[in-house]
Every structure is written in structure tokens, then in C-alpha cells.
Amino acid sequence: MSGNRNRPRIVIKPDIRLDTSAANSVAGGGGNLVAAPNLDRSTQIKVGEQVIEIDPDNVTVIKELGHGAYGIVELIQHEPSGVKLAVKKIRASNLQDETRLLRDMEVLVKSRGCPTIVEFYGAIFWESDVYLFMEIMDSSLDKFYRLAYAMAAAGTGTSPAVPEAVIGRIAGSVVSALHYLYTLKVIHRDVKPSNILINRTGIVKLCDFGISGYLVNSVAMTNEAGCKPYMAPERLRPRPQGYDIKSDVWSLGLTLFEIATGAFPYPHGNLFEQLKSIFQDPPPKLPANRYSPEFEDFIVRCLEKEYQNRPNYLQLLELPFIKTYADADIADFTRVVLDSAPEQCNSASPSSPGKQPSVATPPTGSPPVPT
Ligand code: ATP
Ligand code: MG
């Protein structure tokens, strides 16, 4: 990006095969993913139907979308085509197994086509960073639910601030995404509100799957960055058997609980207090009489402390909470909430005039409650 004069070290390109004989093809000769070492002409990625030549010198950073413990995410524009995309930059010093990440990126490519997973376009290793290019969404759930709560507090929102139908639809999307990843033998490992993205049309997609497995010391790092660990008890006290998809079910339960109540259920700021509460206290329960028994039941099942007792994804998909809201139309609610803070909604960004609607509709009243 601006001012960077060096060439990318390695490029990963979904759908484009430039050098099938490359000795260090990370795809192992199969699939449609090729790593082309030291090729400065090969930074091509496919965005929708368009193939673009992407190079840190021909993109402009429009704005920072946020940053986490390991790097930043930016909204960028590819100048020759005008295409906008998101780039996540992770510092290599935060990667404990760069080679394996590279190899396993094939799976990111395979996840293309799943409607509830953020589309991955490709990656480059640039100097000492890895850049992951992906589809741009309007917001993440951590920001989104706070906006909904702010509207409710100001008397312009709904009660509850995030209606159950919206949470049900989010849950259905995330469970299908996790199930899809599971069929690809991928465990997400980092389910939390900031890794679930949403757009103004009410589409919900999961992002950042698998990556935390390659990052250095994720409990310590997330705590250091002031984030709250959404990790299941069995992950916080690791077992020799390792990690299971049921741990992501716990993280999903905590995520939905947070959206439904507007607060993370465990004490934060002090990791020791938090871990003590996770291990010693009964799991969090939704406040009585605010939501349906089906939603309460869903949370109880996800937040079983014994991972063996938690449902798997197919079982979750059969629960009434998911089935009831599978077709709920949450577009109007989402749009009104995101329009309440246009500067936080990427498609309504004032810094992207011309290409997309640049004037966001001001909120005209309470967001409609989906049925
Ligand atoms: P962690 O470091 O633990 O992963 P995080 O998820 O908050 O925490 P990042 O993954 O770096 O950190 O993301 C930072 C923010 O960037 C997110 O909170 C989200 O709001 C935003 N973001 C990430 N990816 C996208 C995307 N594809 N489109 C729009 N916004 C995004
Ligand atoms: Mg993230």
C-alpha cells in the first residue's frame, strides 16, 4: 500500500492457476490454489466476475475498519478497477506457523460459494505481514448490537433492542457456516461478535475462521488487547485430546447471549476473575420472560459446561429456535440500525462517493421488528 516499493514474496490466488509446476505450490498440485513464489506479476485475484491485478502500489486505503490483537483490517480500493475490498493485515511475528497457514489457505478458497461465509479472494505475504483480501461487509455484530442498544436507549429503537427474530436469523446463519466449515474439516476457533459480519440487506456471514489456530498465544493476546475470551472451559484448561467443534458451540452461545442482553456475561478486565467465574459459577442464563422458551433452551444447550453434553451443528439446526427464524426477513431492521450511524456502515461511507450510494437515509423512526 502507499509507499511500499517491494514485491510480494508469495501470492495465493483462488481460481487462477498461473504456475502449476511451482515446486512449492501450497495446494500440493491439487485444487485450484497455487502459490507462486517471487512472482511480481501474479497478484491477480477474482472478485465476483472480475479478475484484478492487485498490488500494494495500486490500491488506496479508504479507511481502517478496525483492529484486533494481531493486526488491522482496512477498506481498500483497487484504483484501476474501482473495486473495493477488505484487507486484513496480520504481522508475521504473530504467526506461529506461517507455513501451515499458507498450506491450509486452500480451505479458505474452498469455502467460497457458501452464502454464510465471507468470501476470501486471496492473500499475499508482504515483507513481514500476511495480507488477506476478502469481501467487504457493512459492519460486525459487536458494533451492530451496540448501535441497536443505543437506539433503544434513545427511545428510537425496539424492545428488546435486538429482536429475537434477528438473533434467530443470526444464529441460523452462523450455525450453517460452522457446519459447512466442519464438512471441510475446519474448526473456526474464534467465534465472537467481531467475527460475524452483517450488511444492510440483512445478510449475516462468518469470517476469520481457522486463523486463530496459527496465532501466537491467543488467550494472552486477546486479554492483552482488552478483548473478552469467548473460549469454552475445556479450551481454557486444555485437554490432551485437543480441541473439538463443541467449543465453538460454547462461543456461539456466549455471542448470542451478549447480543440478546447487551453485555458480556462474565466479569472482564481481570482474566483471573473471569476464568474463575467460568469454571466455578453456573453458566449464564437469559433473563426470565424476555425471550421465548425456545431461545432460552438454545442458550442453555450451547452453554453446557461439559462439552460432551453440547449439541453438534446438525442437532442445533433442528432446534425450534433456528427453524422458526430461518426465513425471517431482517433487512429493514438491519438497514435502519446501520443508518443510525452512517459513518460505521461501510456501504454508506461518505469516503466512497460515486461508486455506491453516498448519502445514507437518516433513521425515520424505530426499526421494524421482523416477524
Ligand atoms: P481479533 O484480533 O481477536 O481477531 P477482531 O475480530 O476484533 O479481534 P480483526 O479480525 O482484526 O479483529 O477485525 C477488526 C474489525 O474489522 C472487526 O471488528 C470488524 O468490525 C472489521 N472487519 C473485519 N473484516 C471485515 C470485513 N470483511 N468487512 C467489514 N468489516 C470487517
Ligand atoms: Mg476478527
Side-chain angles (χ1 to χ4, degrees):
M1 314 270 130
S2 46
N4 225 332
R5 291 279 159 257
N6 300 309
R7 295 289 112 196
R9 202 150 49 82
I10 294 184
V11 181
I12 312 238
K13 310 168 297 301
D15 290 338
I16 297 164
R17 178 172 289 271
L18 283 181
D19 182 3
T20 48
S21 64
N24 33 4
S25 160
V26 292
N32 58 1
L33 173 68
V34 174
N38 302 318
L39 287 182
D40 60 8
R41 65 183 164 84
S42 59
T43 50
Q44 290 180 325
I45 61 172
K46 193 173 179 206
V47 181
E49 289 312 304
Q50 237 177 327
V51 175
I52 60 173
E53 180 88 27
I54 195 153
D55 179 307
D57 286 335
N58 70 10
V59 297
T60 309
V61 177
I62 296 175
K63 67 174 178 179
E64 182 180 318
L65 296 174
H67 60 267
Y70 300 94
I72 64 170
V73 178
E74 292 170 336
L75 168 61
I76 58 169
Q77 174 157 302
H78 176 248
E79 288 307 335
S81 64
V83 167
K84 292 195 180 75
L85 50 156
V87 59
K88 176 163 179 145
K89 301 175 176 175
I90 304 173
R91 288 178 297 274
S93 55
N94 287 325
L95 287 170
Q96 55 190 349
D97 198 343
E98 193 181 295
T99 319
R100 197 162 62 94
L101 172 64
L102 203 59
R103 192 185 64 226
D104 291 356
M105 265 186 197
E106 185 178 8
V107 103
L108 299 182
V109 176
K110 279 195 196 152
S111 71
R112 287 184 124 199
C114 174
T116 50
I117 291 180
V118 164
E119 193 163 346
F120 171 71
Y121 297 137
I124 58 174
F125 277 74
W126 185 268
E127 291 288 280
S128 52
D129 291 336
V130 56
Y131 289 9
L132 306 174
F133 297 104
M134 60 185 151
E135 168 187 9
I136 180 87
M137 296 284 284
D138 284 332
S139 191
S140 50
L141 288 188
D142 54 330
K143 297 172 186 163
F144 180 78
Y145 88 71
R146 288 192 180 95
L147 290 179
Y149 275 84
M151 288 183 77
T156 55
T158 56
S159 177
V162 184
E164 179 167 317
V166 175
I167 305 173
R169 183 65 200 276
I170 291 169
S173 300
V174 176
V175 176
S176 347
L178 290 170
H179 178 62
Y180 186 85
L181 291 176
Y182 178 64
T183 64
L184 300 178
K185 301 192 170 43
V186 178
I187 300 176
H188 189 292
R189 298 167 190 258
D190 199 14
V191 175
K192 57 183 176 180
S194 68
N195 285 340
I196 303 169
L197 306 180
I198 191 160
N199 69 19
R200 297 174 91 249
T201 57
I203 305 281
V204 176
K205 297 191 182 193
L206 189 63
C207 72
D208 277 1
F209 47 91
I211 296 170
S212 70
Y214 306 99
L215 297 172
V216 178
N217 199 356
S218 43
V219 177
M221 282 293 280
T222 48
N223 186 49
E224 208 172 275
C227 295
K228 312 140 197 162
Y230 293 79
M231 289 181 188
E234 70 276 9
R235 268 192 85 188
L236 295 164
R237 195 156 41 198
R239 305 162 305 134
Q241 305 92 298
Y243 185 75
D244 185 84
I245 55 128
K246 300 278 183 81
S247 306
D248 284 346
V249 172
W250 169 279
S251 310
L252 171 68
L254 277 190
T255 296
L256 299 179
F257 184 99
E258 182 173 342
I259 296 167
T261 59
F264 186 70
Y266 287 110
H268 45 90
N270 179 334
L271 188 63
F272 177 74
E273 286 300 319
Q274 184 173 343
L275 297 188
K276 201 169 105 192
S277 176
I278 291 173
F279 289 124
Q280 291 180 359
D281 300 340
K285 272 193 150 180
L286 285 175
N289 305 323
R290 193 186 298 178
Y291 294 105
S292 70
E294 289 78 16
F295 184 18
E296 290 174 5
D297 172 69
F298 190 88
I299 292 292
V300 168
R301 288 172 190 252
C302 291
L303 295 182
E304 272 282 351
K305 284 215 229 177
E306 287 301 325
Y307 73 96
Q308 296 94 331
N309 297 338
R310 282 176 223 142
N312 62 29
Y313 300 134
L314 286 177
Q315 290 166 329
L316 286 175
L317 287 169
E318 286 305 310
L319 292 177
F321 176 59
I322 298 286
K323 290 191 143 184
T324 306
Y325 301 116
D327 297 320
D329 183 355
I330 64 170
D332 288 344
F333 179 83
T334 319
R335 196 184 55 254
V336 174
V337 170
L338 289 172
D339 283 351
S340 73
E343 72 288 353
Q344 290 196 37
C345 176
N346 300 327
S347 64
S349 165
S351 49
S352 53
K355 300 274 195 280
Q356 289 165 323
S358 54
V359 184
T361 324
T364 50
S366 299
V369 179
T371 46

